[in-house]
C-alpha cells in the first residue's frame, strides 16, 4: 500500500477514527493488526519472515538481560539471523552474479543458479531497526521488552515499517504505553506534514522523474546539457521522494500520537559533505555512526584509521542501499569526499572539528561545491548500471554536443518552477523558521489559503500514477 | 478532548466545503480550456470524438500519426481524411473511441495501424492501460461509455474522477493554454505529424526497439481487436488494417499475434495489408526518421500507396 494511493487515504482515515474510539488498553493490538495488514498488502507470505525475526530478537533481548555472561554470543546470534535474511534476499543474486562473471573469465561455469525471489519490502529498514533494539539491550541502554506485542509493534509500526525513519527503542517503545488523547494541535501538525510530504512526492518528485527517466533510461541518445539537467532534476527528485515519504510517515505517526525522529533537515543547504550527512537520511546516518563507525574506532584513532573508518562506513552504506555496483560506487564516492574533506580541514584549512558549521552568505561557495559533489554522486545512484553511469558522466564532462531535450514542454516548465518553489521554501524554513510560509501563518484565513493552494496545485499538476517511492526498493 | 474534536471536525468540514467549491469552479474552467484547443495531442482526440465528419479516419499509435499524410490520402482518394493517431495509443484506445465516432457519423473508411505484436501478452500492458486512461479521462463526463476502458487501469481512476472535477484535467493546463491560444508546437496537418530528417545508417546498424515480440496471446487484447472488427462490420464501415513499414526487416513468420490479427480479419472479410518489409522502404535510410518511424518523404510515398489501395476498392 503506497502512501500516495487512494487505498492508503481510505485506510488511514478509517483506522485513525477507530484508533481514537478504542480504549487505550486495546490500541497496541489494533495498531499491530493494521500494521500486519499494511505489510501483507505487498507480499503476504513475507510476514512469516518478519514474525520469525521478531520472535528471535524478542527472545534475544530477554536472554541478553538475564544472562550477562552470554550476552555477547546472544547478540551475535541475533545479528546473524537478521543479517542472514538480509544477505539471502538482498545480496545472494548479486554475489552469485559476480561469481558467474568471475568464473566466466576463467572459462568456468557457476553451478549455483540464480534465485527467482522478490525482496521483502522494507527489509533493510526493519532489519536495522530490530538490530538497534538488541544492541541497545546489550549495551544496557534499553530494558528488554517483556510484552511481545509491544515489541512486535516497535518493529512493525506501519508508518515507518517499509522505509523508516529507522527508530531506536529508547525513543519508541515507551510511547506505546502512554495514554494518548485526541490533541487538536498535534493532529493538525501531523496532517500538515502529510500534506507537505504528499506535495513533495506527487507534485515535485514524480514530475521530475518523467524527465529524469527519459534521459537516464537512454543516456547514449542525449546531450551533455540534457544529462546535466536530468542530474540536477534527479538531485531534487530523490530528495522530494524520500523526504516526502518520511514527512508522511512522521505526520501519520504524529496524528496517532507517536513521535518519530526527524529524517531530513534541508540537506541541500549543507556547506560541507559532513554537514550534508548530518541532514540527509538522519536515522540511517546516526545508525551507522552509533553501531558501526564508533565501534570500529570512529575519529578517536590516528588519521589513517579515521580515514579507513569513514570509507568503510560509506561503502557499507552504499551496499545497504542496493545490491549493485552503482550503489557501491556511490558510497565510495561519498567516502572519498569525506576523506578529502577531513584532510583539507585538518592539514590545509586547520579547522577545529568541534566548531559548529558557519551559516550565511559566506558559505555560498561551499554550499554550491557540496551540491555539485552530491549531484555527481547521485549519477551512480540513479543510473541503471555502471556503464550507463559512465555514459552520463562522459556526456556531462565532455559537454556532449546536442540540443536540450525538453519532452513535454509544459512539464519541463512545471519542473523548473517547482524546483524554484522548493528552494525558496527550504530557505524560508532554514533561515526564517517558516515565517513566510502560508501553512504556518498565525492568521487562520492565510493558513487555510496555504492548505487549499497546496491541495489544488496537487490536483492540477501532480503526477498520480508516478508509482512507488524510490526507497521502497531498499 | 471533546472540545478539541469538535473544533477539528468543524474546521475539516469548512476546509472540505472550500475545496468542493474550488474543485467545481476550477474543474469547469479547465474543462472549458481543454475543449478550446485547436492543435496538439488532445485536440486530435477532441476532434475525433466531437467534431470529425471526414470520409477517412486513421487510428493507431505514433506510427499512425507520423505515417499517414492526410493531404496525400485526400489527393489519392478524392475523399476527406483526418489522422487520429496518437503516441502510444494502441488498439485499446481505438476500441474505446471508434464506437463514439460511429454513434455521431459513419466514416467511409477507417485505417487502423497495428504492430505485428499488437495482441501479444506483455508485462507493460498495465502501463499502456494507464496511459490510455489518462488520455480518456477528460472525456469521461461527456462520454460515460469510456468507463470500461478507463477501469482497465484500475477503478481508482474512476473514483478519483467521480470525486474530483479537477483531476481529469490534471497536468493539462499548460498544454491547453498553449494549444488554445498560441501556435507554439503546431506542426500537424489534419492530425498528420511530419518528422523531418533521416536515419544515420552508420549508427543504426541493428534494431534497438523490438516490435516483433514473440509470445502467447493476451486474451483481453484479442477480444479488444475482435470488438473493433465487429463494430466496424455492424456499422457497415470499411476497416483497413495495416502494418506500415519498419526500417529493419523482421520475420513475423512465428509471431502468434501477427497470425491472430490476420486470422480475425480474414474471418470477418476485412482487408489487411502488411508493409513490414516492403520496398522501397525497408532499409532505406532516406525514408526513415528512426528505426520505426518514416520521415516526411517516406510518409508521402507510403500514404500515396495506401491511398491507391483505398481508392481501388
Amino acid at each position: 500500500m503506497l502512501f500516495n494511493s487512494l487505498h492508503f487515504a481510505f485506510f488511514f482515515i478509517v483506522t485513525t477514527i477507530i484508533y481514537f474510539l478504542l480504549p487505550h488498553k486495546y490500541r497496541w493490538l489494533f495498531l499491530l493488526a493494521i500494521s500486519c495488514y499494511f505489510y501483507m498488502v505487498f507480499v503476504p507470505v513475507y510476514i512469516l519472515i518478519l514474525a520469525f525475526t521478531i520472535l528471535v530478537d524478542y527472545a534475544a533481548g530477554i536472554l541478553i538481560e538475564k544472562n550477562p555472561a552470554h550476552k555477547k554470543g546472544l547478540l551475535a546470534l541475533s545479528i546473524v539471523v537478521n543479517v542472514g535474511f538480509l544477505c539471502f534476499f538482498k545480496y545472494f543474486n548479486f554475489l552469485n552474479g559476480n561469481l558467474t562473471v568471475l568464473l566466466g573469465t576463467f572459462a568456468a561455469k557457476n553451478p549455483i543458479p540464480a534465485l527467482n525471489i522478490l525482496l521483502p519490502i522494507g527489509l533493510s529498514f526493519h532489519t536495522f531497526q530490530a538490530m538497534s533494539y538488541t544492541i541497545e539491550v546489550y549495551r544496557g541502554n534499553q530494558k528488554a521488552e517483556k510484552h511481545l506485542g509491544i515489541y512486535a509493534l516497535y518493529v512493525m509500526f506501519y508508518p515507518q515499517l517499509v522505509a523508516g525513519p529507522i527508530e531506536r527503542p529508547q525513543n519508541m517503545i515507551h510511547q506505546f504505553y502512554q495514554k494518548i488523547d485526541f490533541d487538536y494541535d498535534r493532529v493538525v501538525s501531523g496532517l500538515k506534514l502529510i500534506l507537505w510530504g504528499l506535495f513533495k512526492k506527487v507534485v515535485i518528485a514524480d514530475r521530475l522523474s518523467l524527465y529524469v527517466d527519459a534521459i537516464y533510461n537512454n543516456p547514449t541518445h542525449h546531450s551533455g546539457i540534457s544529462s546535466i539537467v536530468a542530474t540536477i532534476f534527479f538531485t531534487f527528485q530523490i530528495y522530494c521522494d524520500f523526504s516526502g515519504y518520511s514527512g508522511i510517515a512522521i505526520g501519520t505517526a504524529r496524528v496517532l500520537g507517536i513521535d518519530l525522529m526527524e529524517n531530513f533537515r534541508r540537506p541541500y543547504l549543507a556547506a560541507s559533505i559532513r554537514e550534508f550527512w548530518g541532514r540527509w537520511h538522519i536515522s540511517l546516518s546516526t545508525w551507522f555512526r552509533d553501531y558501526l563507525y564508533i565501534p570500529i574506532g570512529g575519529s578517536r584513532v590516528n588519521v589513517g584509521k579515521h580515514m579507513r573508518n569513514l570509507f568503510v562506513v560509506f561503502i557499507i552504506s552504499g551496499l545497504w542501499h542496493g545490491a549493485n555496483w552503482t550503489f557501491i560506487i556511490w558510497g565510495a564516492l561519498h567516502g572519498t569526499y569525506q576523506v578529502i574533506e577531513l584532510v583539507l580541514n585538518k592539514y590545509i584549512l586547520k579547522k577545529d572539528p568541534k566548531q559548529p558549521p558557519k551559516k550565511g552568505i559566506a558559505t555560498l561557495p561551499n554550499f554550491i561545491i557540496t551540491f555539485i559533489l552530491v549531484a555527481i554522486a547521485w549519477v551512480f545512484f540513479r543510473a541503471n548500471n555502471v556503464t550507463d553511469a559512465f555514459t552520463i558522466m562522459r556526456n556531462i564532462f565532455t559537454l556532449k554536443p546536442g540540443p536540450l531535450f525538453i519532452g513535454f514542454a509544459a512539464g519541463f516548465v512545471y519542473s523548473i518552477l517547482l524546483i524554484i518553489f522548493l528552494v525558496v521554501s527550504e530557505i524560508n524554513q532554514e533561515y526564517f523558521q517558516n515565517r513566510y510560509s502560508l501553512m504556518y501563518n498565525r492568521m487562520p484565513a492565510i493558513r487555510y489559503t496555504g492548505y487549499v493552494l497546496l491541495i489544488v496545485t496537487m490536483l492540477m499538476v501532480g503526477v498520480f500514477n508516478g508509482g512507488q517511492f524510490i526507497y521502497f526498493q531498499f | 478532548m471533546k472540545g478539541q474534536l469538535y473544533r477539528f471536525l468543524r474546521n475539516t468540514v469548512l476546509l472540505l466545503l472550500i475545496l468542493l467549491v474550488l474543485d467545481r469552479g476550477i474543474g469547469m474552467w479547465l474543462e472549458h480550456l481543454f475543449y478550446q484547443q485547436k492543435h496538439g495531442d488532445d485536440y486530435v482526440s477532441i476532434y475525433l470524438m466531437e467534431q470529425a465528419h471526414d470520409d477517412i479516419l486513421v487510428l493507431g499509435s505514433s506510427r499512425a500519426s507520423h505515417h499517414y499524410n492526410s493531404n496525400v490520402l485526400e489527393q489519392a482518394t478524392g475523399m476527406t481524411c483526418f489522422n487520429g493517431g496518437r503516441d502510444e495509443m494502441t488498439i485499446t484506445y481505438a476500441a474505446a473511441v471508434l464506437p463514439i465516432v460511429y454513434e455521431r457519423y459513419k466514416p467511409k473508411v477507417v485505417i487502423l495501424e497495428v504492430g505485428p505484436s499488437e495482441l501479444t501478452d506483455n508485462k507493460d500492458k498495465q502501463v499502456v492501460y494507464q496511459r490510455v486512461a489518462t488520455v480518456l479521462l477528460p472525456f469521461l463526463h461527456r462520454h460515460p461509455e469510456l468507463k470500461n476502458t478507463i477501469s482497465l487501469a484500475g477503478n481508482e481512476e474512476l473514483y478519483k474522477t467521480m470525486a474530483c472535477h479537477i483531476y481529469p484535467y490534471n497536468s493539462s493546463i499548460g498544454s491547453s493554454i498553449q494549444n488554445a491560444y498560441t501556435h507554439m508546437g503546431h506542426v500537424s496537418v489534419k492530425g498528420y505529424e511530419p518528422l523531418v530528417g533521416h536515419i544515420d545508417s552508420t549508427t543504426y546498424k541493428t534494431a534497438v526497439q523490438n516490435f516483433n515480440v514473440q509470445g502467447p496471446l493476451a486474451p483481453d487484447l484479442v477480444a479488444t481487436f475482435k470488438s473493433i472488427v465487429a463494430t466496424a462490420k455492424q456499422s457497415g464501415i470499411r476497416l483497413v488494417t495495416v502494418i506500415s513499414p519498419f526500417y529493419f526487416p523482421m520475420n513475423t513468420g512465428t509471431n502468434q499475434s501477427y497470425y491472430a490479427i490476420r486470422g480475425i480479419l480474414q474471418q470477418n472479410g476485412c482487408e489487411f495489408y502488411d508493409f513490414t518489409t516492403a520496398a522501397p522502404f525497408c532499409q532505406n535510410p532516406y525514408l526513415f526518421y528512426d528505426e520505426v518511424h518514416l520521415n516526411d518523404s517516406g510518409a508521402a510515398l507510403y500514404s500515396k500507396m495506401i491511398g491507391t489501395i483505398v481508392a481501388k476498392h
Side-chain angles (χ1 to χ4, degrees):
Chain A
M1 194 188 318
L2 303 174
F3 278 173
N4 53 339
S5 67
L6 214 55
H7 188 181
F8 177 74
F10 184 72
F11 169 85
F12 173 64
I13 293 168
V14 171
T15 56
T16 305
I17 292 170
I18 298 172
Y19 174 78
F20 280 113
L21 289 174
L22 280 173
H24 169 70
K25 61 178 176 178
Y26 299 121
R27 282 185 183 170
W28 70 267
L29 186 61
F30 179 67
L31 278 181
L32 186 60
I34 60 174
S35 297
C36 287
Y37 170 76
F38 182 85
Y39 189 80
M40 288 169 74
V41 167
F42 297 103
V43 183
V45 72
Y46 282 165
I47 195 127
L48 297 175
I49 299 167
L50 200 53
F52 179 72
T53 54
I54 284 171
L55 284 174
V56 168
D57 294 327
Y58 168 76
I62 291 172
L63 291 171
I64 286 169
E65 201 172 63
K66 278 188 179 167
N67 304 287
H70 300 105
K71 66 178 191 175
K72 216 170 204 168
L74 288 162
L75 175 69
L77 183 73
S78 152
I79 290 174
V80 164
V81 170
N82 284 294
V83 176
F85 275 114
L86 189 62
C87 287
F88 176 75
F89 281 100
K90 198 162 179 173
Y91 303 110
F92 179 84
N93 279 341
F94 173 66
L95 294 172
N96 195 37
N98 281 291
L99 182 67
T100 307
V101 173
L102 188 71
L103 291 173
T105 57
F106 300 105
K109 268 196 171 179
N110 180 5
I112 310 164
L115 293 175
N116 186 18
I117 43 170
L118 208 63
L119 181 69
I121 197 137
L123 181 68
S124 306
F125 287 92
H126 58 72
T127 299
F128 269 38
Q129 181 150 323
M131 279 161 67
S132 74
Y133 167 78
T134 41
I135 295 170
E136 292 299 347
V137 172
Y138 170 84
R139 287 177 177 177
N141 297 331
Q142 169 70 33
K143 282 192 168 179
E145 179 53 49
K146 307 291 185 301
H147 192 310
L148 177 61
I150 295 289
Y151 173 71
L153 189 54
Y154 160 72
V155 179
M156 293 195 66
F157 183 48
Y158 85 83
Q160 39 92 253
L161 172 60
V162 290
I166 303 165
E167 269 296 353
R168 308 302 154 79
Q170 303 94 309
N171 183 35
M172 280 280 277
I173 290 178
H174 69 93
Q175 293 193 64
F176 294 126
Y177 286 102
Q178 282 165 5
K179 190 173 181 302
I180 296 153
D181 286 329
F182 184 89
D183 178 333
Y184 179 86
D185 291 331
R186 175 195 279 275
V187 169
V188 170
S189 81
L191 291 174
K192 280 183 194 176
L193 284 176
I194 294 173
L195 182 60
W196 182 233
L198 262 180
F199 184 86
K200 283 207 272 189
K201 165 68 180 166
V202 171
V203 180
I204 308 180
D206 287 348
R207 170 67 56 196
L208 295 174
S209 79
L210 300 177
Y211 186 89
V212 173
D213 291 351
I215 306 292
Y216 269 78
N217 290 341
N218 208 353
T220 48
H221 284 77
H222 289 284
S223 65
I225 186 73
S226 302
S227 304
I228 291 172
V229 171
T231 302
I232 294 172
F233 277 14
F234 180 69
T235 304
F236 287 102
Q237 182 203 336
I238 188 149
Y239 169 57
C240 288
D241 191 286
F242 194 23
S243 71
Y245 176 88
S246 295
I248 299 169
I250 295 167
T252 306
R254 190 175 292 176
V255 169
L256 298 170
I258 306 291
D259 285 322
L260 298 180
M261 71 188 292
E262 188 184 21
N263 217 14
F264 289 88
R265 203 181 299 129
R266 299 164 293 285
Y268 295 142
L269 296 178
S272 69
I273 294 292
R274 188 169 173 224
E275 195 190 341
F276 171 80
W277 280 104
R279 290 163 173 262
W280 178 273
H281 201 174
I282 299 167
S283 66
L284 180 71
S285 311
T286 50
W287 196 100
F288 276 118
R289 181 198 64 199
D290 296 344
Y291 304 126
L292 182 64
Y293 178 66
I294 293 174
I296 59 173
S299 60
R300 293 183 175 183
V301 283
N302 65 42
V303 180
K305 281 185 177 166
H306 185 186
M307 288 182 193
R308 180 207 62 190
N309 294 346
L310 280 170
F311 203 74
V312 165
V313 167
F314 278 94
I315 290 280
I316 293 175
S317 168
L319 204 55
W320 177 89
H321 281 86
N324 194 320
W325 285 103
T326 51
F327 294 116
I328 297 172
I329 296 174
W330 171 78
L333 264 176
H334 272 282
T336 311
Y337 292 161
Q338 292 262 18
V339 167
I340 293 170
E341 200 169 276
L342 176 74
V343 172
L344 265 176
N345 287 338
K346 199 170 176 90
Y347 297 109
I348 298 168
L349 302 171
K350 301 197 187 300
K351 267 189 189 172
D352 178 6
K354 285 173 188 166
Q355 206 181 332
K358 282 181 189 168
K359 280 195 168 188
I361 200 80
T363 58
L364 193 63
N366 298 17
F367 144 74
I368 293 170
I369 292 167
T370 306
F371 181 85
I372 292 170
L373 291 174
V374 170
I376 289 170
W378 285 133
V379 170
F380 289 91
F381 197 94
R382 170 60 186 85
N384 297 333
N385 51 57
V386 177
T387 314
D388 278 6
F390 281 110
T391 306
I392 291 274
M393 294 294 259
R394 211 169 25 249
N395 291 351
I396 292 173
F397 287 103
T398 60
L399 268 177
K400 184 183 167 192
L404 171 65
F405 172 79
I406 299 287
F408 172 45
F412 190 78
V413 175
Y414 296 152
S415 301
I416 291 171
L417 292 176
L418 288 166
I419 288 175
I420 295 170
F421 174 69
L422 177 77
V423 171
V424 170
S425 145
E426 297 273 289
I427 290 171
N428 176 43
Q429 278 183 57
E430 177 79 9
Y431 299 109
F432 303 99
Q433 289 75 46
N434 268 329
R435 202 185 308 159
Y436 303 107
S437 168
L438 297 181
M439 281 215 302
Y440 292 91
N441 195 283
R442 283 183 183 178
M443 291 175 68
I446 297 177
R447 276 203 310 274
Y448 274 66
T449 307
Y451 306 151
V452 167
L453 276 176
L454 273 193
I455 295 170
V456 170
T457 310
M458 221 184 302
L459 292 171
M460 283 175 73
V461 297
V463 178
F464 287 90
N465 50 5
Q468 69 172 30
F469 291 84
I470 295 172
Y471 266 69
F472 267 37
Q473 62 184 297
F474 308 136
Chain B
M1 185 184 150
K2 271 188 182 167
Q4 296 203 31
L5 194 59
Y6 170 74
R7 190 177 155 209
F8 178 77
L9 290 174
R10 185 197 63 195
N11 292 352
T12 306
V13 170
L14 179 68
L15 182 66
L16 287 175
L17 279 175
I18 296 170
L19 283 172
L20 192 76
V21 171
L22 278 173
D23 175 59
R24 293 297 181 271
I26 295 172
M28 279 165 68
W29 175 66
L30 288 173
E31 184 178 2
H32 171 77
L33 206 58
F34 184 83
Y35 283 100
Q36 291 297 305
Q37 295 184 78
K38 293 176 187 74
H39 60 92
D41 287 346
D42 286 326
Y43 170 72
V44 170
S45 303
I46 295 168
Y47 182 85
L48 263 183
M49 283 189 256
E50 308 283 326
Q51 300 158 15
H53 275 97
D54 303 84
D55 299 324
I56 304 172
L57 287 183
V58 179
L59 269 115
S61 62
S62 62
R63 281 167 41 81
S65 75
H66 298 306
H67 290 190
Y68 297 84
N69 185 325
S70 308
N71 283 339
V72 174
L73 278 167
E74 285 186 352
Q75 281 167 14
T77 58
M79 293 190 267
T80 56
C81 171
F82 182 77
N83 185 333
R86 261 190 92 157
D87 285 2
E88 300 178 271
M89 293 301 110
T90 55
I91 53 164
T92 309
Y93 170 78
V97 166
L98 282 173
I100 294 170
V101 175
Y102 296 163
E103 208 162 281
R104 209 183 63 254
Y105 88 107
K106 305 267 187 286
K108 288 179 182 156
V109 183
V110 168
I111 300 175
L112 182 66
E113 165 70 32
V114 294
S117 302
E118 197 81 33
L119 309 184
T120 307
D121 204 3
N122 66 84
K123 60 178 169 32
D124 293 332
K125 205 167 61 183
Q126 210 52 37
V127 178
V128 174
Y129 287 156
Q130 185 66 52
R131 285 184 188 136
V132 172
T134 306
V135 165
L136 295 178
L137 274 178
F139 300 95
L140 184 62
H141 287 307
R142 291 193 184 191
H143 302 287
E145 58 268 45
L146 293 171
K147 204 172 140 185
N148 290 340
T149 309
I150 292 170
S151 65
L152 291 171
N155 284 330
E156 269 206 14
E157 291 301 312
L158 287 175
Y159 299 149
K160 284 187 232 172
T161 306
M162 281 192 281
C164 172
H165 273 53
I166 295 176
Y167 183 72
Y169 307 98
N170 168 270
S171 299
S172 72
I173 183 167
S175 52
S176 291
I177 291 172
Q178 181 187 323
N179 298 334
Y181 303 113
T182 76
H183 283 277
M184 269 167 64
H186 186 183
V187 288
S188 64
V189 183
K190 292 174 190 164
Y192 162 65
E193 283 195 46
L195 290 171
V196 180
H198 66 82
I199 271 189
D200 176 359
S201 53
T202 55
T203 52
Y204 270 102
K205 286 188 174 149
T206 50
V208 178
Q209 297 178 52
N210 187 3
F211 271 73
N212 191 26
V213 183
Q214 315 271 328
L217 296 172
D220 50 345
L221 291 176
V222 173
T224 302
F225 186 65
K226 280 182 177 170
S227 83
I228 293 176
V229 177
T231 320
K233 210 174 163 184
Q234 278 164 17
S235 310
I237 289 158
R238 183 176 163 203
L239 181 69
V240 180
T241 305
V242 192
I243 302 180
S244 59
F246 286 91
Y247 180 66
F248 290 107
M250 58 175 69
N251 177 16
T252 50
T254 52
N255 192 332
Q256 286 187 51
S257 160
Y258 178 84
Y259 283 101
I261 292 169
R262 221 166 69 166
I264 294 166
L265 292 168
Q266 253 172 11
Q267 276 170 16
N268 289 278
C270 293
E271 296 161 64
F272 175 60
Y273 301 98
D274 176 11
F275 286 85
T276 317
T277 51
F281 303 101
C282 197
Q283 294 208 294
N284 183 343
Y286 298 102
L287 297 178
F288 277 86
Y289 176 79
D290 59 31
E291 60 179 315
V292 290
H293 297 114
L294 293 167
N295 62 18
D296 195 26
S297 313
L301 195 62
Y302 171 67
S303 301
K304 209 172 172 182
M305 284 182 170
I306 290 290
T308 312
I309 291 170
V310 171
K312 258 185 195 169
H313 291 74

